[in-house]
Amino acid sequence: MSISWLYLCNALALGAMMVFVPVIGPLIRELGLQEWHSGLVVAISGALWMLSAQRWGKASDNKGRKPVLLLAICGYLASYALLAAFFDMALDASWPVLSVLAILILLRALLGVFYAGIPVTSAALLAENTPPGRRTQAMAGLGAANAMGMVVGPLIGGLLAVWGLTLPLYFAAVMPLLALLIVFKLPDHKPVAQAVQPALKLTDARLRLPVLSALLAMSGVITAQMCVGFFAMDKLRLPADAAAQAAGFAMATVGMVLVLVQAVLVKKLTLSASRLLVLGASVACVGFALMMLVDGLLMLLLSYAVMALGLGMVFPAMQALAADSVESARQGAAAGAVSAAQGLAMVIVPLICTGLYHLAPVLPYLLAAFMLLLLSLAAWRWHISTEVVTGEI
């Protein structure tokens, strides 16, 4: 298996998704929708992500990684092209708000369903081809590739938004096409499961900490993504195009820090996955709390950089814990369970954070800080209870 090609595929896929982040706030406002409408769109998309993630993982165990990955990317490409065309038409016409909202929900849901299959299948493919002792570093490499997408995507969205809010979406629709061409370079993969395997439950004791980590950490990510455009307009008092650029710079900063953390720092650290999780959640908590002090672009970028420093440790630790918890034939199921927890966050968090934002722009960030504090405490308790016998404390 060519790891570099798999990494590049994920960078392009997430990069396309992240192009949407800096323009979503201004687009919602231009269409005459409200903040909670964007929360509803992402929540419904997250529900379908949650329901489909475990199915993608199970399918990759039973049908093979490459064909499932190809199917997911093809659907992702088609969904993104339709979404870009819809926004263009909706901005040029006076459509009823309910019609705009319904179509947006449908297309964004399709985008989420097909994207869910890409990280799930990729993580399973990587895990089964990496020895247990090296999985944290391997997952950090995958995270670094995704972070490259987080750098490129928001920058594209922010810079191209100057020439039109829909132009970044058309560019983004091309990125999954490149990923599709890359996947054809991967070797064929035979199913690892000897018999059809059922999906793992989110409550499976082996996956309890990874699933909790995915839920709480993804809640923070969603909060940071959904609120940054609105925050730039309301708190920093920027116009729509400048707010889109500021949001793009913030998310690009996140991506650059994630690249450095996961490509360099995580690979240098000798911490166990659980201890890395404790450290990462604690640092990310500080980053979200710093949003109370933001009064300009530089402070916004600093806060998002500290968030990324912590989350860059959380995600590879979480994925390594999940991969180490199951045998090779269940890697897809384990990755699917973790991704389903992330999808669950996309169901419950958007409406909560946009509702809190309406009360005060900083409230969603404080809630995210509290959730990451809880994650840090839970990870430390798990570490004490499971690894004290190894003398790693």
Side-chain angles (χ1 to χ4, degrees):
M1 182 187 69
S2 177
I3 296 295
S4 59
W5 288 119
L6 183 63
Y7 286 169
L8 183 56
C9 170
N10 278 262
L12 287 167
L14 185 58
M17 184 68 77
M18 294 301 296
V19 167
F20 193 58
V21 172
V23 297
I24 184 173
L27 279 171
I28 288 294
R29 293 275 175 88
E30 290 292 322
L31 290 172
L33 302 177
Q34 299 178 17
E35 290 91 345
W36 73 268
H37 288 140
S38 65
L40 179 63
V41 168
V42 176
I44 294 177
S45 175
L48 293 178
W49 180 342
M50 178 185 67
L51 294 173
S52 64
Q54 290 181 287
R55 294 181 181 273
W56 285 113
K58 179 182 174 182
S60 73
D61 285 338
N62 297 323
K63 305 296 183 182
R65 313 293 186 206
K66 183 175 179 178
V68 171
L69 192 54
L70 286 171
L71 175 61
I73 296 175
C74 285
Y76 185 51
L77 167 62
S79 300
Y80 221 131
L82 289 172
L83 183 67
F86 162 71
F87 270 117
D88 223 7
M89 292 186 292
L91 288 172
D92 289 339
S94 298
W95 291 8
V97 170
L98 287 179
S99 298
V100 172
L101 183 60
I103 297 173
L104 181 56
I105 287 172
L106 174 63
L107 294 178
R108 186 61 178 80
L110 287 175
L111 196 68
V113 165
F114 285 107
Y115 176 76
I118 300 173
V120 167
T121 308
S122 299
L125 184 59
L126 184 60
E128 73 179 24
N129 285 275
T130 306
R134 298 289 301 168
R135 282 175 179 160
T136 300
Q137 290 75 17
M139 293 302 177
L142 184 61
N146 284 328
M148 285 300 299
M150 291 186 68
V151 174
V152 174
L155 281 177
I156 291 172
L159 294 174
L160 295 184
V162 177
W163 290 279
L165 293 176
T166 60
L167 180 60
L169 302 182
Y170 284 106
F171 188 94
V174 177
M175 298 172 75
L177 176 61
L178 298 177
L180 185 65
L181 298 176
I182 288 171
V183 173
F184 280 109
K185 292 182 173 291
L186 296 177
D188 292 330
H189 176 271
K190 295 182 179 180
V192 293
Q194 300 301 313
V196 175
Q197 298 284 339
L200 290 171
K201 294 182 179 180
L202 295 184
T203 55
D204 190 300
R206 295 171 295 176
L207 298 176
R208 193 166 294 157
L209 181 60
V211 165
L212 179 65
S213 303
L215 176 63
L216 297 183
M218 191 64 177
S219 296
V221 170
I222 295 167
T223 297
Q225 290 178 351
M226 292 203 63
C227 293
V228 64
F230 297 122
F231 193 93
M233 285 188 284
D234 299 331
K235 193 73 173 178
L236 305 185
R237 302 186 184 281
L238 298 176
D241 55 349
Q245 285 188 314
F249 293 148
M251 298 312 299
T253 298
V254 168
M256 288 186 286
V257 173
L258 285 175
V259 170
L260 292 174
V261 172
Q262 296 183 104
V264 180
L265 181 61
V266 172
K267 293 185 178 183
K268 296 287 186 182
L269 293 175
T270 58
L271 300 176
S272 66
S274 57
R275 293 183 69 181
L276 187 65
L277 183 57
V278 173
L279 177 60
S282 301
V283 173
C285 172
V286 173
F288 280 93
L290 282 174
M291 289 298 293
M292 292 186 295
L293 306 178
V294 171
D295 57 0
L297 181 59
L298 289 179
M299 192 62 193
L300 177 68
L301 298 182
L302 174 62
S303 298
Y304 270 67
V306 177
M307 294 177 200
L309 177 61
L311 292 173
M313 292 181 270
V314 169
F315 283 108
M318 168 191 81
Q319 291 174 312
L321 286 170
D324 290 344
S325 299
V326 298
E327 63 276 15
S328 178
R330 307 305 305 277
Q331 289 297 333
V338 170
S339 187
Q342 293 176 318
L344 178 59
M346 291 183 66
V347 176
I348 60 179
V349 173
L351 291 176
I352 294 174
C353 75
T354 51
L356 288 175
Y357 183 91
H358 185 71
L359 298 176
V362 76
L363 284 181
Y365 293 99
L366 294 181
L367 177 60
F370 177 70
M371 289 188 292
L372 287 160
L373 176 61
L374 292 180
L375 175 57
S376 178
L377 295 174
W380 179 249
R381 181 179 179 183
W382 188 92
H383 174 74
I384 293 295
S385 63
T386 61
E387 298 189 9
V388 64
V389 294
T390 66
E392 295 184 17
I393 296 180

